[in-house]
Amino acid sequence: MTPGGADGARMGALLAAPRPASGRLWLTNARLFDGTGAAPRDGAAVLVADGAIAAVGDTGDGVPEGARVVDLGGRTLMPGLVDAHAHVYPHLPTPPPGAEPLWPGVGSHVLGAALRDALRMGVTTLRDVGSYDDLVFEARQAMRYGAFRGPRLLTCGRIISATAPGGRWFTGMYREADGPDDVRRAVREQLRRGADFVKVMTTGARSVELEDPDPAQMTVEEIETVVDEAHRMGFRVAAHAEGLDGTRIAIEAGIDTIEHGMYLNQRPDLLERMAASGQVLVPTLSCFYGVAGAAAPDGDADSDGGSAADLEAPPTWSLLLVDLALHNLEQADRTLKAARAAGVPIAAGHDWAPIADLGVEIVRMARHGLGAREALVAATSTAARALGLADHVGTVEPGRLADLLVVDGDPLERPALLRDPARIWLVLQLGEPVAGAALERDPVGVAPSSPQPAR
């Protein structure tokens, strides 16, 4: 069975999808960026039928029989954004002195609001690569039964880690396991919980002072056992991979996605191996910017003239970790360029908060060597491929689910438009208009018009 399932039928993320919109929808007069890497084209039109893309054509083709019409006015129509690396947990406020303590259930509401915000910004699919306790499973089930709308949500359950210092920092996020038998059991536990994929810590984490990226955190046999058991059951594997030793083992073991991997520029042979095997790199530039905070360089200017330093709060991390983040950012820049040159598939993953701001990672990937078109592909079709969902989302092609985004302007010219709520004109989820500035300004005007006669 192909990792991820032959057709994704067992994925909790797909089982929890809301009901698709019924009927036919004709999205016309669009500038189409289809996510495949092809150049955008004007005057495009897309037919949506019962929540899926039925046809891609031209405005001049005429309105298909029975279809309701939405005129996009030349705006950019593209796939919904896919974030391949998100930590989906609530960032809770700290009550001021004297205020009542937070009730235990407040986190669920805060997380629900964050997921709604992500959908509002065009993020229609999120891969959770580590959160606390069971909130992600609870939120996904709540969305399944109509409590609120949010992105399609994949989760790994608990991250599989060796017994290590990180377990003290991330209580409720890790499942520590030692030895092949315990590791195999840990994989099975996550699948039992409803995980869509498995994540393993092949190295320590840069966000923990007591952990060093080298040596590998787990043995070759332990890592190979994770891959063997997950792939045997038809599920994909993601590797937290920072130091070169653990990254090498992850690649050689056949792990599907390499998260971070910032030192790979020092091992061109490993990049060549990834390119040959189709293993995906998720470079996560924003986590390095986030830890570095105001110390981050300003070379990552966005298209509005701001700088990366403007985008982050002052450093709140230890000086050791800030210095490490600056070094890792330099290495990640080199690796992104080297991976692109080697032909490694590259997917976008924000790896920071808020989860709604995948746009900043797209801006940074464009500035660090991909260019706007490749960065948008990384956040659509390649990210969908990384998740094992390429047959479902990530491109505007017949047969794909109608998770679509309409942007007021051209994000290929200005990727930073994807960070501006006013420019997120319309978001469709399974063909249903669910969010966007147009709905907020004029819900009736953006609603599909009456069916038009066929021409």
Side-chain angles (χ1 to χ4, degrees):
M1 181 182 290
T2 302
D7 58 5
R10 291 187 298 161
M11 270 195 178
L14 294 176
L15 292 172
R19 294 178 64 87
S22 60
R24 311 178 91 199
L25 189 65
W26 183 242
L27 303 170
T28 189
N29 192 16
R31 178 172 172 81
L32 178 63
F33 174 76
D34 66 10
T36 66
R41 64 183 181 91
D42 294 320
V46 171
L47 176 64
V48 174
D50 297 327
I53 298 169
V56 179
D58 297 309
T59 298
D61 292 343
V63 180
E65 183 176 1
R68 297 176 179 270
V69 178
V70 175
D71 188 330
L72 301 186
R75 295 178 178 88
T76 300
L77 173 63
M78 60 182 290
L81 299 177
V82 180
D83 189 341
H85 190 115
H87 290 280
V88 184
Y89 59 82
H91 291 261
L92 297 173
T94 301
E100 65 174 341
L102 297 179
W103 288 94
V106 168
S108 295
H109 297 281
V110 173
L111 180 57
L115 289 165
R116 288 191 291 270
D117 289 345
L119 185 64
R120 171 61 179 81
M121 293 304 294
V123 180
T124 55
T125 301
L126 273 170
R127 182 175 68 157
D128 166 55
V129 293
S131 54
Y132 295 100
D133 301 319
D134 296 323
L135 283 182
V136 168
F137 291 107
E138 293 171 4
R140 185 165 75 185
Q141 193 171 80
M143 288 189 287
R144 178 176 188 171
Y145 294 113
F148 66 94
R149 285 268 189 177
R152 181 174 292 99
L153 187 54
L154 288 75
T155 182
C156 65
R158 303 287 195 271
I159 303 171
I160 297 172
S161 166
T163 299
R168 294 169 55 202
W169 269 254
F170 305 116
T171 304
M173 183 181 288
Y174 284 10
R175 184 349 184 142
E176 293 179 314
D178 300 300
D181 289 344
D182 196 20
V183 162
R184 193 176 297 274
R185 180 177 181 84
V187 171
R188 293 175 178 177
E189 287 174 357
Q190 306 325 304
L191 303 185
R192 177 181 184 269
R193 294 162 62 80
D196 303 279
F197 68 102
V198 173
K199 184 183 177 186
V200 58
M201 297 291 292
T202 64
T203 74
R206 76 202 164 281
S207 53
V208 175
E209 283 184 319
L210 293 180
E211 290 195 342
D212 195 310
D214 279 316
Q217 190 183 78
M218 303 180 81
T219 68
V220 171
E221 186 178 12
E222 288 171 330
I223 294 170
E224 288 178 344
T225 299
V226 170
V227 178
D228 176 70
E229 186 62 20
H231 283 182
R232 187 182 71 83
M233 295 300 294
F235 291 83
R236 297 172 68 83
V237 183
H240 174 99
E242 297 193 42
L244 278 173
D245 189 29
T247 304
R248 174 189 59 79
I249 296 171
I251 293 168
E252 292 177 350
I255 288 181
D256 302 284
T257 66
I258 304 300
E259 315 295 313
H260 317 301
M262 56 277 197
Y263 302 134
L264 278 167
N265 66 88
Q266 301 172 27
R267 290 290 303 271
D269 59 312
L270 294 179
L271 290 173
E272 291 173 4
R273 182 165 182 156
M274 289 182 68
S277 65
Q279 291 164 295
V280 180
L281 175 67
V282 188
T284 66
L285 299 172
S286 291
C287 66
F288 309 125
Y289 277 100
V291 175
D298 63 2
D300 180 39
D302 67 25
S303 57
D304 292 319
S307 70
D310 297 331
L311 303 176
E312 307 293 352
T316 57
W317 297 74
S318 77
L319 293 179
L320 182 154
L321 294 178
V322 170
D323 287 343
L324 178 60
L326 293 171
H327 173 69
N328 287 343
L329 179 58
E330 178 184 321
Q331 291 295 307
D333 173 86
R334 295 176 183 176
T335 290
L336 185 63
K337 294 179 173 72
R340 177 183 181 273
V344 175
I346 298 169
H350 182 207
D351 195 20
W352 206 248
I355 56 175
D357 197 13
L358 179 59
V360 75
E361 181 71 12
I362 295 170
V363 168
R364 287 165 174 165
M365 294 178 85
R367 296 301 183 198
H368 280 271
L370 286 192
R373 186 188 300 184
E374 290 180 63
L376 290 174
V377 169
T380 52
S381 60
T382 309
R385 172 181 169 187
L387 275 54
L389 293 177
D391 291 339
H392 299 274
V393 297
T395 57
V396 183
E397 296 179 283
R400 302 298 187 267
L401 300 178
D403 286 3
L404 300 169
L405 169 60
V406 181
V407 182
D408 192 358
D410 187 355
L412 282 92
E413 292 293 329
R414 291 181 58 209
L417 293 177
L418 297 172
R419 305 191 66 215
D420 184 351
R423 297 298 192 134
I424 304 300
W425 194 75
L426 190 63
V427 182
L428 293 98
Q429 187 178 53
L430 292 169
E432 183 73 27
V434 293
L439 287 177
E440 294 162 0
R441 286 196 288 261
D442 184 10
V444 176
V446 175
S449 61
S450 299
Q452 301 296 309
R455 294 180 184 175

